[in-house]
Amino acid sequence: MSTAEGAAETTDGKPGGGAADEVPAWAEVAPEAARRLLVAAVEAFAERGYHATTTRDIAGRAGMSPAALYIHYKTKEELLHRISRIGHDKALRILESAADGDGSAAERLTDAVTTFVRWHAAHHTTARVVQYELDALADEHRAEIVQLRRRSDAAVRRIINDGVKAGEFQVADVSGTTLAVLSLCIDVARWFDVQGRRTPDEVGALYAELVLRMVAADSSEQPTSA
C-alpha cells in the first residue's frame, strides 16, 4: 500500500468496515505533512518492524526529507507513541461504548466483539503496529498505553460479569475469559487478508458468535456469519 493510498483509505484495503470505520484514517492528525509521515510510519513499522525502520525510511515513504520529519516528530519513538495512543483510544471507545450500551449482556458483548474485530480487520496494518510494537515504546509511554489496555480489559470484564450475575453467561474464570476474548479479537490483525473470502463485517459476526459460545450464552438468536 502506498502512502497516498493509506492517507485516502477509510480502511486498510477492503470494503465492509461498517459505520464505525467511515471516518478517514488518521483524520485527527494535522497538519497534512504530519499525517503523511504517520501513515508512512505505520506502513514501515508493519512491513519491517519498528527497530529495523529508520527515520529516513519513513521520510522517504512520505516523499519528504529526513529533516522535514523532525519538524513534526522529535524522534521515531514519538511517532510510534502517537500511532499507539490513537489506536488504543479508538479501541477503548469501541469497548466502553458497548459496555455502557443498552441491552442484555449478550447483546453488549456481541456489539463489543463485532465492532472490535471489524476494526482490527479493516485496519489490520495499523492494528498490527498498535498491538504488537508495545515493547518498543519508552517506559513512560508504555505505562500510559498499558493503562489504556487495562481500561479496555475492564470494559469487557464488566460485560462478562454482568452476564454472569444475570444468569446469561456460565463463566468460572471471568478474568481468564476476558483475556481470551481480547486475544482472539486482536489476533485478527495478524492474519486478516484483504484478498480473503471474508469481509471485516463477516469476520466480526463470526467472532461474536464464537465468543457467545465461549461464555455459554444462547447464540441461537444472534446474527450468524456468512
Side-chain angles (χ1 to χ4, degrees):
M1 179 176 68
S2 70
T3 301
E5 288 170 340
E9 286 179 339
T10 56
T11 72
D12 280 334
K14 189 168 186 175
D21 301 303
E22 290 173 359
V23 177
W26 310 111
E28 61 271 78
V29 179
E32 171 64 19
R35 186 165 72 94
R36 283 169 56 198
L37 286 163
L38 188 142
V39 170
V42 168
E43 294 176 8
F45 294 158
E47 180 181 317
R48 306 186 62 185
Y50 174 81
H51 292 293
T53 298
T54 66
T55 53
R56 183 175 295 274
D57 294 332
I58 296 168
R61 285 173 182 260
M64 301 167 68
S65 70
L69 184 148
Y70 296 108
I71 296 173
H72 303 284
Y73 302 99
K74 295 178 182 178
T75 64
K76 182 177 71 167
E77 192 274 343
E78 183 179 325
L79 257 171
L80 178 62
H81 173 242
R82 187 78 191 277
I83 293 164
S84 188
R85 179 61 198 244
I86 292 172
H88 279 88
D89 279 341
K90 288 181 178 179
L92 181 60
R93 285 197 298 271
I94 287 170
L95 296 174
E96 288 192 335
S97 176
D100 295 336
D102 297 326
S104 66
E107 291 169 336
R108 287 183 287 139
L109 188 58
T110 296
D111 183 25
V113 172
T114 300
T115 311
F116 197 51
V117 167
R118 187 171 62 211
W119 187 86
H120 279 79
H123 301 277
H124 55 97
T125 302
T126 297
R128 284 201 304 274
V129 177
V130 169
Q131 297 293 357
Y132 296 117
E133 293 286 2
L134 182 63
D135 288 342
L137 291 170
D139 290 345
E140 180 182 357
H141 289 158
R142 187 178 188 280
E144 174 189 314
I145 299 304
V146 166
Q147 285 301 315
L148 292 174
R149 291 169 78 101
R150 287 174 177 167
R151 288 176 60 188
S152 291
D153 179 279
V156 175
R157 189 167 62 250
R158 175 153 55 95
I159 298 173
I160 295 175
N161 266 320
D162 287 348
V164 171
K165 291 175 182 177
E168 294 181 61
F169 302 159
Q170 301 294 320
V171 176
D173 183 347
V174 172
S175 294
T177 301
T178 298
L179 176 60
V181 169
L182 287 170
S183 297
L184 185 70
C185 296
I186 288 169
D187 194 56
V188 169
R190 183 184 58 78
W191 63 259
F192 186 79
D193 182 358
V194 295
Q195 303 302 321
R197 65 186 184 89
R198 294 183 189 272
T199 67
D201 282 334
E202 290 167 349
V203 177
L206 171 63
Y207 273 48
E209 181 180 342
L210 294 173
V211 166
L212 288 180
R213 293 183 182 185
M214 284 173 60
V215 298
D218 182 2
S219 61
S220 60
E221 297 183 0
Q222 300 297 328
T224 56
S225 60

